[in-house]
Amino acid sequence: GENVEQHPSTLSVQEGDSAVIKCTYSDSASNYFPWYKQELGKGPQLIIDIRSNVGEKKDQRIAVTLNKTAKHFSLHITETQPEDSAVYFCAASSPLSNDYKLSFGAGTTVTVRA
Amino acid sequence: EPEVTQTPSHQVTQMGQEVILRCVPISNHLYFYWYRQILGQKVEFLVSFYNNEISEKSEIFDDQFSVERPDGSNFTLKIRSTKLEDSAMYFCASSEGGRQETQYFGPGTRLLVL
């Protein structure tokens, strides 16, 4: 099955700087890659996703890039703000039959220092 | 904005007891999921459910687990005879469509088995 690795496990950045989180996946058939943000006491909330027919997607301060050849994708947060502090999870999903599940990375705890 | 809700938020039970975790998915969604997250570990897929039947389940989802949609709004996860290792955060999710549609997560139920 799919195995998603995520790095780093913790990330501390100064407010206003950029944060980058990287994930690799093992199943070359995977073609849907969402990113979730989890704040304390809440469930994961989707912040951005990308499908394998595009290499990059941007939404305001958040962008995701995908390299299918290398089987890795990254989340970029620019101009970080204190409210960006949370745990971020990457995930992957394969189009194989009966495969509806998301396979998650282990998470990155992002701390934005004021 | 519609959201997935879960009850209870916390549940403490004795080993061997049965527990039922409840979820109300987003009303127009057709696919429902349970995931769990053991403390310090990845979010893991348990089961997906569509059209009143299980569409996929993981190896974690053994005979002590069951899911049900008892009415038009609730989606439940039953653990028949809890074990210590069932202690985890359990997340319900729902999606409008199936494969590779955005999954929206609830806030989770923290289950502690003593």
Side-chain angles (χ1 to χ4, degrees), chain A residues 13-89:
Chain A
V13 296
Q14 190 69 38
E15 183 178 358
D17 288 351
S18 296
V20 181
I21 304 170
K22 299 182 179 181
C23 290
T24 61
Y25 60 99
S26 61
D27 186 350
S28 57
S30 289
N31 63 357
Y32 173 61
F33 307 93
W35 285 89
Y36 286 85
K37 175 183 180 182
Q38 186 178 23
E39 296 175 319
L40 203 61
K42 298 184 179 179
Q45 301 295 309
L46 180 78
I47 54 172
I48 195 168
D49 57 12
I50 191 168
R51 298 177 194 275
S52 60
N53 57 341
V54 297
E56 183 173 356
K57 185 176 178 180
K58 192 172 181 181
D59 182 4
Q60 300 182 335
R61 297 186 296 109
I62 294 173
V64 57
T65 58
L66 171 65
N67 183 327
K68 283 193 66 179
T69 304
K71 291 191 285 188
H72 67 70
F73 56 112
S74 300
L75 178 73
H76 304 253
I77 307 173
T78 58
E79 300 172 26
T80 52
Q81 300 168 5
E83 52 264 38
D84 294 330
S85 296
V87 180
Y88 291 81
F89 294 96

